[in-house]
Amino acid sequence: MANISITLPDNSSRELQEGATVYDLAASIGAGLAKAALAGKINGQLVDLSSRLTDGDSVEIVTEKSPEALDIIRHSTSHLMAQAVKELFPQAKVTIGPAIETGFYYDFDVEKPFTPEDLERIEAKMLVLASSDQKIERHEYSSADAISMFEAIGEPYKIELINDLGVERVSVYSQGTFADLCRGPHLPSTGRIKAFKLLSIAGAYWRGNEKNRMLQRIYGTAFIDKKELEAYLNRLEEAKRRDHRKIGKELDLFSFSDEVGAGFPIWHPKGAMLRMVLEDFERKEHLKRDYDIVVGPQILKSELWQRSGHYENYRDNMYFTEVDEQSYGIKPMNCLSHMMIYKSQLRSYRDLPLRFFELGTVHRHERAGVLHGLMRVRCFTQDDAHILCTPEQLDAEIKGVISFVNDVMTIFGFEYEMELSTRPEKSIGSDSDWEQATEALLSALKDSGRPYEINAGDGAFYGPKIDIKLRDCLDRRWQCATIQCDFTLPERFDLTYVASDGERKRPIMVHRVILGSIERFIGVLIEHFAGSFPLWISPVQAIVVTVTDNQIPYAQDVYRQLRNAGIRVERDVRNEKLSFKIREAQLQKIPYMLVIGDKEVEQGTVTPRYRDGKNLQAMKPEEFIEFVTQECKTFK
RNA sequence: GCCGUUGUGGCUCAGGGGUAGAGCAGCUCACUCGUAAUGAGCAGGUCGUCGGUUCGAUUCCGACCAACGGCUCCA
């Protein structure tokens, strides 16, 4: 029999008999590797261990340590789940079941939705199937054969998928009596699946289209071993503990009320204080960067929204009101009044760029099912600005915004990623406008030296945009900042400036937010810090705590001094045990507890206890004021 | 908007066809006690809303509202 030559990742080569598989290659290298092998990579393409090699292939063995391992394990686990579901619910129709970032899911078409008890049964069945270590085999068929096969076993969704694929041949993976259309690759046998858990049941539309039938999706996750699975499940628990809705209630920051309406947060004193600190910070930072602060009204005539195109494209998300037979739209965006400010006088190229900043509160009628704590609400305040500039200035302005975002995210300690979104199907504006705007954003992204991704077709209807997603301490991503180019609104509103040659020219408008919305950003902050905010943004920075009633007059005096100095301080002079008061302040995550007993009264000091349990040296109240002031200056 | 789950005093939750219970918080009293819960007593709910079934519903059924997990959508 002829020999073939295979190249390994270290560039060494190996001779094998013709017809050898990836597994044979692993076995020829060593028994240990053969045992650890999960899949292979031939010429960069992920394949099964059973794949045959041909002469000249370069091959890599995928083991648990390979970055691709997790996806393969999860994908095979989703098949295992489908197998279990088919055994328990033979009438269920299988659809698709991919690996995702945090695990996997599989969508089924069933008459009756799954119950939590079903989930337990399915998981138990999966354990049995895994321990029986069934071989997972790949077979190739012509599309026509595959279709008749799936017709015979009554799987219409698979037939639809094959028809849409429009290819000659398809692959089918089988394990036991279960067979599924799939590109693969998969683990060699079900016994290789060692650590998984089914997590939740949800409705999901076939092919993600809400006009299609709703399927039942089961989410699960799988890891290389039990230890990693446990670590992940612990992280889920930690995320639950940090949930901003829970902490928001515990720290008395905000609430929602049926009587007020869904999606309308009510800001309690401490939450409002947190907002105020952020808003003051933003005003200062914007003034530093030559923005002008402006203010527009909450409602504007409907005719204006018609002119802007919002009425046409965004009406379903808007609230309207009518007074004296005049219809008004409650603003879902702040751009219109900013444009009217621009239009209020004749502008020269010497005036540009103009940067109008507004902490603009907007209302958007989001669909009922999408609301989520502070992350998705119907009334929120954007740190919104519109930059009007010449085409020549666009590049520098966008770069300026990106550096602004970077400065702010560094202060809060967030990592972030950038994405460019291009023209969507439903849009206004000419092709050339879109090209020019997209080009400007792209060049700024390239110049930033940071990695970025491209989301084709995900732009706003009036222009392309850069979205900035920050990562919190649990590695979750949140859309906050966005920079949107707009060639359309200046056109619609006939915005002009007089250029150096005396000609009237059209400015470009850039819509941008840094934090995004104060509401969402606070939600992210709460979860990131688990409610233990840095001193500079803590709504309550310190609390004066007395040991007994004897110290009340002095404690009041200290409280007054701190208040007058602008420290956000509270006092707890209740007739309670010190340990009880410390406990309450601790649960409120107040950075400093200023303990006052007889000793402090005598010496005219306070003893600050940080919320991590450590005491600072006893110090004079004015020293504490100085200390807090300095810390806040450096955003600690 | 769609699928599923849930909805009991301020909070966390138990209960269940015959007109409601705990802990915490609140209030009162006693204790004046130095770094995560002092003790005793009191008070507090038309069991999300509106209909239906029933001699009788908070408990069963339906609609609506809201929250939660997703889908779709988005700052």
Side-chain angles (χ1 to χ4, degrees):
Chain A
M1 204 182 270
N3 276 1
I4 54 171
S5 172
I6 300 301
T7 310
L8 295 173
D10 64 357
N11 274 327
S12 67
S13 64
R14 238 183 151 77
E15 303 289 314
L16 288 165
Q17 285 203 332
E18 197 175 331
T21 63
V22 177
Y23 179 81
D24 297 333
L25 171 67
S28 81
I29 296 169
L33 185 61
K35 206 176 160 205
L38 299 175
K41 230 174 173 182
I42 302 180
N43 305 322
Q45 189 87 32
L46 276 174
V47 296
D48 299 296
L49 281 182
S50 59
S51 295
R52 287 187 195 286
L53 302 169
T54 51
D55 192 38
D57 282 344
S58 42
V59 182
E60 194 182 316
I61 307 296
V62 174
T63 67
E64 285 180 357
K65 295 196 179 76
S66 313
E68 299 88 356
L70 209 47
D71 267 7
I72 296 172
I73 290 171
R74 288 171 174 174
H75 192 180
S76 293
T77 313
S78 101
H79 274 226
L80 182 70
M81 179 169 79
Q83 184 184 9
V85 167
K86 285 297 285 186
E87 294 206 1
L88 293 169
F89 306 88
Q91 6 25 29
K93 308 284 174 233
V94 292
T95 67
I96 55 164
I100 55 176
E101 202 181 343
T102 56
F104 63 88
Y105 66 79
Y106 208 111
D107 287 348
F108 303 94
D109 186 355
V110 284
E111 285 303 310
K112 262 194 179 169
F114 296 115
T115 64
E117 294 73 42
D118 292 338
L119 220 58
E120 284 174 31
R121 286 175 60 207
I122 295 165
E123 198 174 284
K125 189 76 177 173
M126 287 168 73
L127 283 170
V128 171
L129 292 170
S131 64
S132 69
D133 198 17
Q134 294 173 355
K135 211 164 175 222
I136 301 175
E137 289 176 294
R138 177 193 173 98
H139 300 284
E140 287 200 10
Y141 300 96
S142 72
S143 287
D145 285 352
I147 286 173
S148 39
M149 200 178 107
F150 283 114
E151 229 156 41
I153 56 175
E155 295 288 4
Y157 291 92
K158 293 293 171 186
I159 297 167
E160 188 179 331
L161 288 171
I162 296 169
N163 281 328
D164 284 5
L165 277 172
V167 293
E168 290 285 308
R169 297 182 69 76
V170 295
S171 54
V172 171
Y173 281 80
S174 61
Q175 54 203 64
T177 57
F178 175 72
D180 196 359
L181 175 76
C182 185
R183 194 178 47 211
H186 280 283
L187 300 173
S189 71
T190 59
R192 306 298 287 268
I193 299 169
K194 292 180 196 129
F196 63 88
K197 179 147 185 69
L198 301 189
L199 296 172
S200 61
I201 313 156
Y205 299 106
W206 167 235
R207 305 199 132 180
N209 187 329
E210 61 185 317
K211 293 193 178 70
N212 288 342
R213 184 170 164 79
M214 183 153 275
L215 308 170
Q216 290 300 312
R217 173 172 298 180
I218 301 179
Y219 280 97
T221 194
F223 285 86
I224 285 156
D225 54 36
K226 292 236 161 66
K227 206 172 137 198
E228 285 195 32
L229 176 65
E230 282 303 312
Y232 175 75
L233 295 177
N234 284 339
R235 221 170 61 155
L236 284 186
E237 286 302 309
E238 178 61 21
K240 254 186 226 165
R241 275 192 289 278
R242 286 168 178 261
D243 192 312
H244 75 281
R245 293 164 298 189
K246 184 171 178 280
I247 293 180
K249 204 178 277 175
E250 288 165 359
L251 301 191
D252 196 22
L253 300 174
F254 62 89
S255 65
F256 292 92
S257 150
D258 281 13
E259 286 150 293
V260 172
F264 297 122
I266 309 167
W267 291 90
H268 299 201
K270 284 173 196 158
M273 179 59 83
L274 180 55
R275 279 184 69 120
M276 197 196 79
V277 172
L278 289 175
E279 290 174 359
D280 283 352
F281 164 75
E282 286 243 74
R283 286 193 194 94
K284 274 188 209 143
E285 293 299 315
H286 278 83
L287 290 173
K288 250 193 233 173
R289 290 170 178 78
D290 295 330
Y291 282 78
D292 293 312
I293 294 177
V294 299
V295 178
Q298 217 51 49
I299 63 175
L300 295 84
K301 284 184 177 176
S302 294
E303 287 83 345
L304 209 62
W305 297 111
Q306 278 162 13
R307 188 167 172 193
S308 68
H310 285 95
Y311 193 83
E312 183 65 27
N313 291 283
Y314 205 73
R315 187 180 31 199
D316 291 347
N317 279 299
M318 285 181 67
Y319 294 95
F320 290 94
T321 182
E322 194 179 304
V323 178
D324 287 348
E325 290 173 38
Q326 170 66 54
S327 166
Y328 295 88
I330 297 164
K331 67 173 176 181
M333 291 164 189
N334 304 297
C335 28
L336 295 203
S337 48
H338 294 190
M339 273 193 297
M340 300 320 281
I341 295 167
Y342 183 91
K343 269 175 84 77
S344 67
Q345 50 181 278
L346 185 61
R347 304 290 181 177
S348 152
Y349 73 97
R350 296 173 194 276
D351 300 328
L352 303 183
L354 281 168
R355 308 184 187 94
F356 295 141
F357 171 70
E358 176 173 8
L359 284 160
T361 301
V362 297
H363 291 75
R364 298 184 184 174
H365 185 77
E366 302 292 352
R367 297 161 90 182
V370 306
L371 302 175
H372 179 95
L374 289 181
M375 303 301 192
R376 197 78 193 280
V377 292
R378 285 176 171 160
C379 168
F380 58 101
T381 299
Q382 296 179 299
D383 58 335
D384 202 3
H386 293 90
I387 300 172
L388 291 134
C389 64
T390 68
E392 296 74 42
Q393 292 167 334
L394 182 61
D395 213 47
E397 287 307 310
I398 291 172
K399 282 170 192 158
V401 175
I402 288 180
S403 108
F404 194 170
V405 169
N406 188 53
D407 293 348
V408 170
M409 291 307 151
T410 304
I411 284 171
F412 287 103
F414 285 121
E415 291 293 319
Y416 61 93
E417 292 154 12
M418 300 194 282
E419 290 174 10
L420 174 66
S421 297
T422 58
R423 189 173 192 170
E425 276 179 32
K426 195 174 165 190
S427 67
I428 50 181
S430 74
D431 290 357
S432 69
D433 285 350
W434 275 88
E435 266 167 45
Q436 199 183 342
T438 308
E439 202 41 55
L441 290 172
L442 198 56
S443 115
L445 277 180
K446 282 178 184 155
D447 263 41
S448 76
R450 286 187 158 262
Y452 60 88
E453 281 176 32
I454 294 187
N455 276 337
D458 209 29
F461 71 88
Y462 47 77
K465 60 176 182 173
I466 292 173
D467 284 328
I468 289 155
K469 297 197 169 150
L470 56 84
R471 270 184 188 271
D472 70 15
C473 59
L474 291 175
D475 229 26
R476 293 172 299 181
R477 260 169 289 192
W478 304 93
Q479 151 92 64
C480 288
T482 153
I483 307 168
Q484 310 185 344
C485 252
D486 189 345
F487 286 71
T488 308
L489 281 176
E491 188 81 38
R492 289 203 169 214
F493 283 82
D494 193 28
L495 303 189
T496 60
Y497 62 91
V498 181
S500 56
D501 58 4
E503 292 281 310
R504 294 264 174 131
K505 291 204 173 143
R506 188 79 70 211
I508 294 164
M509 181 152 89
V510 177
H511 311 245
R512 45 104 289 183
V513 289
I514 304 292
L515 303 184
S517 89
I518 303 288
E519 283 73 8
R520 178 176 290 181
F521 193 75
I522 286 179
V524 175
L525 274 183
I526 291 172
E527 304 201 352
H528 181 69
F529 292 115
S532 292
F533 300 111
L535 182 67
W536 77 280
I537 52 171
S538 282
V540 181
Q541 297 172 306
I543 183 163
V544 174
V545 182
T546 47
V547 177
T548 70
D549 288 355
N550 296 334
Q551 300 92 30
I552 291 179
Y554 176 68
Q556 300 285 24
D557 184 45
V558 170
Y559 169 80
R560 201 68 262 158
Q561 276 188 64
L562 298 188
R563 273 266 148 181
N564 289 347
I567 308 291
R568 301 188 290 272
V569 63
E570 288 193 341
R571 58 217 205 264
D572 187 351
V573 296
R574 289 175 304 170
N575 174 17
E576 295 286 353
K577 281 192 151 183
L578 178 65
S579 55
F580 179 75
K581 295 199 258 191
I582 294 276
R583 176 185 148 81
E584 290 210 331
Q586 189 77 42
L587 291 174
Q588 286 297 304
K589 313 201 173 175
I590 298 170
Y592 290 99
M593 295 152 226
L594 305 179
V595 177
I596 294 180
D598 287 337
K599 196 173 71 197
E600 284 78 10
V601 175
E602 269 168 43
Q603 299 170 351
T605 59
V606 296
T607 304
R609 174 194 195 273
Y610 190 61
R611 63 187 159 204
D612 69 356
K614 292 196 185 90
N615 273 356
L616 270 56
Q617 293 279 343
M619 57 177 84
K620 302 271 179 206
E622 50 272 30
E623 290 175 304
F624 182 72
I625 291 169
E626 178 60 19
F627 168 74
V628 172
T629 310
Q630 285 307 320
E631 292 279 290
C632 289
K633 267 190 193 153
T634 52
F635 305 119
K636 294 247 176 74

